[in-house]
Amino acid sequence: MKHILLLEDDRSIVDLLSALLKDDGYYVSSTGRVAGATQILQKTKVDLLIADIVLPDGTAFAVIDEAKRQNIACLLMTGSWPHMAQLEANGELHLTKPFKLKDFTSQVLQRIGPGNGHN
């Protein structure tokens, strides 16, 4: 089963996206903190990191760098205009909040293909 790490501090977004991803056959871990995501990446095989950029304990850029070092695909999300500009300047593809769920699932499929787990 493909494992997705969801780094997001808004519980309602976590609940919605986790349910959507699980329905599509993915295994989902989630945390709302940079430190928590770093621990998960160090201990667990992850296929995709989905990360909000702005978090209570900093930005997700260090986690994203670690994921890239491990060759983990990334899907970035932000509603912060300064961070959008930074992502675009670095050539990072991202979803701008709010986004359509269809666009979200399409981006997940493009990065790691369909889930293969069973509900």
Side-chain angles (χ1 to χ4, degrees), residues 49-116:
L49 168 66
I50 300 174
D52 185 13
I53 300 300
V54 181
L55 300 155
D57 60 340
T59 62
F61 291 114
V63 178
I64 294 162
D65 289 344
E66 178 58 30
K68 288 180 177 181
R69 275 192 289 280
Q70 294 184 32
N71 294 314
I72 297 169
C74 297
L75 174 55
L76 312 178
M77 312 178 290
T78 190
S80 161
W81 286 103
H83 290 101
M84 280 183 231
Q86 183 177 0
L87 292 170
E88 289 167 6
N90 291 332
E92 294 279 359
L93 297 175
H94 65 279
L95 287 172
T96 302
K97 290 179 177 180
F99 49 81
K100 294 179 180 174
L101 292 179
K102 181 178 141 196
D103 294 338
F104 174 80
T105 56
S106 172
Q107 291 295 318
V108 171
L109 280 170
Q110 285 180 22
R111 283 164 175 78
I112 62 170
N116 56 5

Side-chain angles (χ1 to χ4, degrees), residues 31-53:
T31 182
R33 305 272 188 232
V34 170
T38 301
Q39 281 185 323
I40 292 169
L41 287 177
Q42 290 170 351
K43 296 178 179 180
T44 310
K45 181 190 178 305
V46 173
D47 298 293
L48 175 65
L49 168 66
I50 300 174
D52 185 13
I53 300 300

